Each structure stands twice: as structure tokens, then as C-alpha cells.
Amino acid sequence: MAPVDAWFNRLYTWKHNPLYQSGTIAVAMLAIMLVTGLYLVIFYRIGTPYESVVRISEQAWAGRWMRSLHRYAADVAVVAIAVHALRMFAQGRSWGPRTLAWVSGLFLLFLMYVCGWTGYVMVWDVQAQIMAVEGARVLDALPLFSAPIGRAFVGESPLPRAFFFLNLFLHIAVPIGVALALWMHVSRLARPALLPPKGLLWGSTGVLLALSLLWPAPLDAPADLLALPSRVSVDWFYGFWLPFSRSIPPWAAWAAILALGGIVMLAPVWTRPRESERVPKSFVKERFCTECDQCTQDCPYDAIRMIPRSDGRPGRVANVNPALCVSCGICAGSCAPMGVGPPLRTGRDQLDRVGTFIAEHTWGPRDVILVSCDHAASPAATGTALEGIPAFPVPCAGNLHSSVVEYLVRSGAGGVLVVACPPRDCWSREGPRWLTERLFHERPAELKERVDGRRVRVVHAAEAEVGRLVEAVDAFRGRVLAMDIAAAETDIAVDLECEIPADEVEV
Amino acid sequence: MTTTAKVAGILLGAALCTLVIAGSRVPWTPVPDGSAAIRLSWRAVLPVVEECREPTADEVAHLPSHMRPAEICTGSPITFRLLFLLDGAVLLDELLVPGGSRSQRPVHVYHEFRVAPGTHRIEVELGPENAEVATAAGATTTSLDETVRLDPLDIVLITRVDGALVIRQSGLEAAPTRF
Ligand code: HEM
Ligand code: SF4
Ligand code: SF4
């Protein structure tokens, strides 16, 4: 996936990379389907379904492309959902507090398929007939119905209006379920990004609209229940199962659906790392907390709230809800007094680590030091290009406490370049965004004014964008060399804002 | 971002969307061998042999007066046998047993057989298993023996209308093809 990401970043920039925006593209497609669907339903007739779709397709000015856009958006949505789900899986975002998002995501996908099935049946052409007949065949294998529903499609009598009414009702009602499931899907996220950036939103809509005009959706011959279907054009995204439904017995189809569904549904169980490999949940050192509220604002999972203090002092203190915390560590970078974060990742732990790092390396005012996020382009992957440049690793650039950057600058380095993931692809959602705000836009815990801002840079380079990293290092090194101010300081005393009693220092 | 990258991005986006749209209209021939089909499909309520008697005093004693039945009936189902022969070969030999605690649920016959196009003799027989019990309940045997011509992808539907087995075929309204 990484090389493809890098290619897409080149063509679209990370901000508009459709792979990073797959979830929001799916939402945008749902919105397009809603708007076009409202138009189509005005002209659809349950008494003469096929004829009404023919009439819609004959409306050269609106109906034809509205219908095509509705269908194409549904197809793009399926592709976008698949990419989105794969990314979440590949990034290990499928367990713990994300279980709700995972399971509701699968439910959303299921609802999309119900919507697609009913939508195609509405047309009542040959493809619709196949979908209805094969769908009924598979459903009839379940001991749910007193009469086989497949009998409705044998041609004994014409399909009643009630069938098309029920189908239309489902096609309209299920999207309400989609909206509710989507709400649940993002309910654990703070500030969920629901729509893609404008350029991508209008660009993708424009391309689909152009294709709808140039290559309108096909319409097969009308359904004939007393004839086997001849050649049809099938929507592969919604009808991929049709070619197999006849070749395996329905019970085997159900066994396959249940096995596959079960495996994917249980991903939160089998993708969860072993207890010993899991990063522990964040915690708050109550005595350091100054009630600034910043971590509650920055936590991408709304896992922190303020509660009354328990140490007898007046006021409130931050409190992490372990059931919601994904251990992303972003709060560690939020807290000026370094009172919150997962064990061994708090600002204080970072300072300890960077202290050792500084002691182990030597550099001068012309040298650049890297601080690199574990998920971004790795300096080690650049071969010899960045050889000799010290790199301080952090699990996520969003964890980075600004004091660490200050410490590095004031230890005499010419400049500190933070290598972060593209913001839309942060495994912890908002890491690079808060990092930039903290380093350059005074978001607490901000980089102090006393640090020369010209000596600090951030580069967004995805895992496979090693070339971009090398370029950024070269450019930054050039800028550092051009500065004639000496950077070296001695006698660094990092201001921790709160005094740490020796017995409370986390090791 | 260079103009070349922008143009390439738009072109790639359009190409990907075109690919998706092409995937939304994949030509497919569901019945590649051009076979035809014969369907048997109907719903029937089978007769039940009922034996009724007056309830005993004990049976009604604990029931409130408005719930006391005038008679208590037990039904035993009449099992029907369905035979379907195509060109003299038995393709289906099935017992139709009504469900439900009083055996009063309707039975549903629902089968489809793929056959080679051409002319075929169809024989269907539907009759009670136990002739004696059936005669008492007035159940009779119905049958159908027809020769039909099926073009590729044609479907012949054998169904029941007013107790009689009939053939339906596309374009033939309700009338069967006779030779
Ligand atoms: C109609 C279908 C879907 C839509 C519209 C959708 C949309 C979204 C959106 C907009 C987000 C928020 C992204 C953010 O702000 O960071 C999200 C998050 C998420 N989605 Fe989906 N999604 C869908 C289906 C799925 C499926 C099928 C899965 C996986 C099986 C899935 C897994 C997730 C997970 C795990 C998150 C949370 C990420 C995190 O907590 O870091 N989604 N989705
Ligand atoms: S950021 Fe730190 S000081 Fe501020 S509320 Fe959170 S824990 Fe307390
Ligand atoms: S580690 Fe901190 S920022 Fe991340 S989810 Fe937990 S409490 Fe929120």
C-alpha cells in the first residue's frame, strides 16, 4: 500500500489523496445518492416500475444522468468503503475502543448492500430479475419463512404492486439506517472528518457527472419471469456473487457468508495484540495537572474529561477513560506540565529519552537532527542518503512534546526536522495536525518563543516517500547553513513548569 | 504541485472512475449453454381427515364457560405423492406432508429443472398416498401428460389452478402447447 500512497501523494498532494480520504469519499457518495435519489423517486412508479425507469432514462436533460450518477456514486462508494476498511485493518485500527467503529462499519457495508440490492430490483429489468431470484434462493435456504419467497418469482402470477412498494420502502428506509449507523460509526471520534476537502469533493463529483453524461447507465431488457435470463450487464460491485450463487448450494453459500462474516466481524478479537505487546492506556498524574483543559480538547477519541480533584486541592483534574483511550499518546504532547500520557510516553519520559539521546551523540550548529515518527518515512530507509544524521524516534509525531524539540535545538543543533505522516493519514487521526499547531501556531503546549522557529521544520512524508524526506533534509540543511547565528547553547535547563519530586519521576 | 501532476491526477481520477463504471456493467451470460427450464410451483391446502367428538365433562370442567368447545377434533394429514417424469425418466418423486400441529398448513411445491431445448414429454401425477383414507376424505388424483416445445431460455411452468395441473409458458397466456 505504501508505494501506491506515495504515488497518489505526488499526483494529488496528501491533502487530496483519495486513498487517505476513502472514508470521507464514501460519505460524499452517500450524499450524492441522497440528492439524486430524491429526484428519481419523484418519477418512479411502483405500478409500472420498468416503464417508469425507461421514462427517466429518456429524460435527456436530467433523468438520464441523475440515474447514472445515482448508480455510479453507489459503485464508487463500495470501492471507497473497501479501501477505507482495508486501511483501517492494515493500520491496526480494528480493536479495543475502535471495536464499535469496526463493527458499525461492517453493518454500514451490509446496509449498503441491502440498499444496492433493493435499488437494482426497483428497475425490474433482467438484472433485477436475476438479483431477485438468486437473492430469494439464498434467503430460502434459511428456515425463516413459512413459504419459500422464491415462489413469488416463478411467473405463476405477475408480481404484485405490494412487492414493489415494499422494495421501494426498504430502499428509502435503509438509508435512514445508514445515517444512524454512520452516526454510531464516528460517535467515538472527536471532530470526525465527514467530507473530503472541497477540491476532491467537487473534483470527484464533476468526474462522475461527466461520465454520467458521456456514458449513461445501461438498462437491460424488461424482466420476464417465464424466461431464463439472456445476456445482461451486471454491476460487479453489487452483483459479484451472482455467478457463484448457482454453482454452490445455498447452504454452502450461507456457510461461506457466515464464516467470512464471522472472521471479519471478529477482527477486533484476533487483531488485538497480546497484553504484553499493547501500549498501556494513558493516565494523569493528578499533582501535575493545572486544569488547563488542553488534553480534553486534543484527544482525538474524546477519552479525557475533567473531574473534581481527589487530592483535597480545589478545582478539577483531567481524567482518562480507559474504555475510550486507544493509547495514541497525543495527549502527551498537549500537556505543558507533562502530567498526562501513556506510561513511558509522557513528556517527562520523552525528555528522559532525549537527554540520553543527546548524551550519546555530538553535533554542531551546522547539523540537522531528525525526529521521526515510526509510521512516516524512515531515515533508515533512505540508504546512505541521510547517513550520519542523528534521528530521534517517536511512536507518533503527535506525541512529541515541544520541550523535546526545544531541548534538541538548545543542545546546539543547527535545526530539528520533525518527520511526520501526512495529516490525513495519521494512525492516531490528529497527530501531525496538533504537532504543527503546537510548534508554529501557539497551540498549548506550544514551542516557546525563546526557541528560534527557523531552526524547526516539519515534513510530511509517508512511509514510501523517502525521496521527499531526503529532499526536505537537504533543503533544510541548506537553510540552516545559510543562517549565520550560532545555535549552540550550554548549560541547558529545561523548564518543566512544575517541579517534579524525585520519587514521582516515571522511569 | 506542478501542472503536469495536476493534469495527471485528474486523468488518473477519471480513468479510475471509468474503470469503476465499466465494472458496473460487466456483460454476463447467466445461462451460457442456452438451456431451458421446467418449473413446478404451486401452493395447496391438502385435505385433512378429521375425527371429532364431544368433550368429556372432565375436559371442560376447568375451562371457563366461554372457552368450552362444542367438539374436540383431531386431524390426521393425507400425504400426497408428487411424481414428475421428463421424457419417461423420473426427475422427482416427493411426498407432500402438510406442516403445523393440526397438519393444516399449506404445502408449497417449488422445483426447477434445467433441460435441453427441444420437444419434451412432461408427466406429472399428484395423488394421495393412502387411497382408502383419501377416498373417505374426498381427495383425488390429478395428473398432466403433455408434450411441450422449449426454445433456448424458455421456461415451462407447471402450476395448479382450481385443483387442476396446468402449464404456463411465456407468450402463451395460460394455454399449454399441444401437439
Ligand atoms: C458506508 C460505509 C463507511 C463510511 C461512510 C465510513 C466513514 C468513516 C469516517 C468518515 C470515519 C472518520 C474518519 C476520521 O475522521 O478519522 C471513519 C472511521 C472509521 N472507520 Fe469507517 N466508514 C465506513 C465503513 C467502514 C468499514 C466497512 C470499516 C471496517 C470494517 C470501517 C472502519 C472504520 C474505523 C475502525 C474507523 C475509526 C478509525 C479510528 O478510530 O482511528 N469503516 N469511517
Ligand atoms: S493538558 Fe495536562 S494540565 Fe492540562 S488538563 Fe490535561 S493533564 Fe491537566
Ligand atoms: S492516549 Fe491520550 S490522546 Fe490518545 S486516546 Fe488516550 S487519552 Fe486520548
Side-chain angles (χ1 to χ4, degrees):
Chain A
M1 212 153 72
V4 186
D5 280 353
W7 263 98
F8 273 64
N9 278 345
R10 270 181 143 183
L11 296 180
Y12 297 100
T13 71
W14 57 257
K15 194 175 172 200
H16 295 100
N17 184 337
L19 298 174
Y20 296 163
Q21 299 283 350
S22 42
T24 57
I25 288 179
V27 178
M29 293 302 124
L30 290 176
I32 293 180
M33 283 149 74
L34 181 71
V35 174
T36 48
L38 285 175
Y39 177 86
L40 295 175
V41 82
I42 297 173
F43 297 98
Y44 182 73
R45 297 284 173 271
I46 51 171
T48 50
Y50 182 78
E51 292 73 9
S52 64
V53 178
V54 170
R55 275 196 300 276
I56 291 171
S57 304
E58 281 167 354
Q59 293 175 9
W61 287 107
R64 184 178 305 164
W65 63 261
M66 281 277 191
R67 176 175 165 250
S68 307
L69 193 53
H70 191 71
R71 173 163 168 171
Y72 297 162
D75 291 325
V76 173
V78 168
V79 178
I81 294 167
V83 172
H84 169 69
L86 270 175
R87 290 194 83 84
M88 295 299 131
F89 177 75
Q91 296 181 347
R93 293 157 78 172
S94 50
W95 57 276
R98 287 161 168 141
T99 301
L100 180 69
W102 183 265
V103 174
S104 58
L106 287 174
F107 187 57
L108 271 169
L109 187 59
F110 166 74
L111 291 181
M112 285 293 291
Y113 270 91
V114 176
C115 244
W117 190 82
T118 52
Y120 275 120
V121 169
M122 272 173 78
V123 180
W124 207 232
D125 58 357
V126 180
Q127 182 186 214
Q129 179 185 341
I130 304 174
M131 289 236 178
V133 170
E134 295 306 317
R137 223 170 68 81
V138 177
L139 281 177
D140 276 337
L142 297 177
L144 288 180
F145 309 99
S146 59
I149 45 177
R151 276 200 57 242
F153 307 112
V154 292
E156 203 176 321
S157 48
L159 278 176
R161 278 167 72 104
F163 168 77
F164 290 103
F165 174 77
L166 183 68
N167 190 60
L168 176 65
F169 173 78
L170 281 177
H171 192 67
I172 294 172
V174 173
I176 299 172
V178 169
L180 287 175
L182 184 60
W183 169 76
M184 190 185 280
H185 189 59
V186 297
S187 61
R188 294 238 163 136
L189 306 180
R191 301 165 291 279
L194 287 179
L195 284 176
K198 275 192 192 124
L200 187 59
L201 175 67
W202 295 118
S204 51
T205 310
V207 167
L208 284 184
L209 183 60
L211 286 168
S212 304
L213 289 165
L214 296 173
W215 202 15
L219 183 63
D220 281 318
D224 179 357
L225 291 176
L226 283 179
L228 291 175
S230 54
R231 198 173 151 87
V232 278
S233 49
V234 167
D235 185 331
W236 183 249
F237 301 103
Y238 287 89
F240 64 89
W241 52 280
L242 290 174
F244 313 108
S245 76
R246 283 254 154 200
S247 49
I248 54 171
W251 65 263
W254 276 111
I257 292 169
L258 289 178
L260 195 70
I263 289 172
V264 181
M265 198 56 111
L266 288 176
V269 177
W270 56 262
T271 56
R272 184 176 51 188
R274 274 193 226 117
E275 180 99 48
S276 56
E277 289 163 12
R278 270 180 246 159
V279 180
K281 308 282 177 176
S282 188
F283 73 103
V284 177
K285 273 270 176 207
E286 192 164 338
R287 63 179 306 158
F288 300 147
C289 177
T290 56
E291 203 188 322
C292 75
D293 234 3
Q294 193 58 40
C295 55
T296 62
Q297 290 172 39
D298 287 2
C299 172
Y301 296 90
D302 268 345
I304 312 181
R305 63 200 171 112
M306 303 302 292
I307 59 164
R309 300 190 78 99
S310 64
D311 58 2
R313 287 195 279 162
R316 298 174 313 148
V317 66
N319 179 266
V320 176
N321 180 349
L324 300 180
C325 173
V326 303
S327 312
C328 68
I330 284 181
C331 49
S334 308
C335 185
M338 306 181 183
V340 62
L344 302 177
R345 286 203 193 180
T346 64
R348 284 162 210 272
D349 300 311
Q350 294 177 32
L351 278 184
D352 273 353
R353 273 205 309 128
V354 82
T356 315
F357 178 78
I358 290 170
E360 287 169 350
H361 294 82
T362 46
W363 47 68
R366 299 175 153 262
D367 292 324
V368 163
I369 301 166
L370 302 178
V371 175
S372 66
C373 165
D374 283 351
H375 303 300
S378 158
T382 59
T384 53
L386 303 181
E387 216 171 20
I389 299 186
F392 179 68
V394 280
C396 162
N399 290 11
L400 187 63
H401 199 282
S402 57
S403 295
V404 171
V405 177
E406 177 176 353
Y407 203 164
L408 287 168
V409 173
R410 295 176 70 194
S411 71
V416 174
L417 180 69
V418 185
V419 190
C421 295
R424 276 306 307 166
D425 196 38
C426 173
W427 294 31
S428 312
R429 298 191 62 237
E430 297 181 318
R433 180 176 170 196
W434 294 156
L435 172 79
T436 311
E437 297 257 313
R438 287 169 195 153
L439 294 184
F440 307 114
H441 303 290
E442 298 187 358
R443 185 184 188 87
E446 72 282 6
L447 185 65
K448 297 288 179 281
E449 260 179 48
R450 59 187 173 239
V451 180
D452 183 352
R454 292 172 305 165
R455 296 192 183 275
V456 181
R457 279 285 174 278
V458 173
V459 57
H460 297 129
E463 191 187 336
E465 291 184 301
V466 281
R468 186 182 172 82
L469 170 60
V470 174
E471 271 170 32
V473 173
D474 285 346
F476 186 45
R477 201 156 35 185
R479 209 168 302 153
V480 166
L481 289 176
M483 282 192 250
D484 52 359
I485 321 139
E489 272 192 36
T490 49
D491 254 1
I492 306 162
V494 174
D495 182 1
L496 289 181
E497 296 198 5
C498 283
E499 215 157 278
I500 326 165
D503 59 328
E504 286 195 21
V505 176
E506 297 297 323
V507 192
Chain B
M1 194 187 183
T2 63
T3 316
T4 325
K6 250 186 198 165
V7 173
I10 293 170
L11 289 179
L12 178 70
L16 288 176
C17 286
T18 311
L19 208 69
V20 171
I21 284 159
S24 127
R25 55 176 84 221
V26 181
W28 179 48
T29 311
V31 191
D33 58 358
S35 55
I38 297 176
R39 275 182 196 150
L40 288 91
S41 171
W42 64 83
R43 170 189 183 276
V45 180
L46 299 183
V48 176
V49 181
E50 277 204 326
E51 277 177 20
C52 299
R53 59 174 173 78
E54 275 190 20
T56 61
D58 271 3
E59 278 171 329
V60 292
H62 64 283
L63 294 172
S65 56
H66 68 279
M67 286 180 71
R68 290 178 186 162
E71 48 182 20
I72 292 180
C73 297
T74 46
S76 41
I78 298 184
T79 310
F80 273 62
R81 168 170 239 122
L82 171 64
L83 264 176
F84 169 56
L85 287 79
L86 182 76
D87 302 322
V90 177
L91 287 197
L92 183 70
D93 182 355
E94 187 185 38
L95 286 183
L96 305 182
V97 187
S101 59
R102 292 179 63 194
S103 306
Q104 278 176 334
R105 288 243 191 99
V107 290
H108 295 275
V109 173
Y110 178 38
H111 296 283
E112 184 175 301
F113 302 94
R114 292 286 164 94
V115 298
T119 305
H120 294 283
R121 180 171 175 207
I122 291 173
E123 292 164 85
V124 184
E125 193 178 290
L126 177 67
E129 263 252 278
N130 182 334
E132 278 169 35
V133 184
T135 319
T140 51
T141 299
T142 45
S143 58
L144 177 133
D145 187 349
E146 299 278 354
T147 302
V148 293
R149 220 199 66 224
L150 286 151
D151 287 332
L153 307 184
D154 268 2
I155 288 179
V156 156
L157 168 69
I158 300 159
T159 186
R160 250 177 117 214
V161 178
D162 298 331
L165 290 165
V166 296
I167 284 185
R168 295 229 171 110
Q169 210 172 343
S170 193
L172 291 180
E173 299 301 321
T177 313
R178 286 173 195 277
F179 287 86

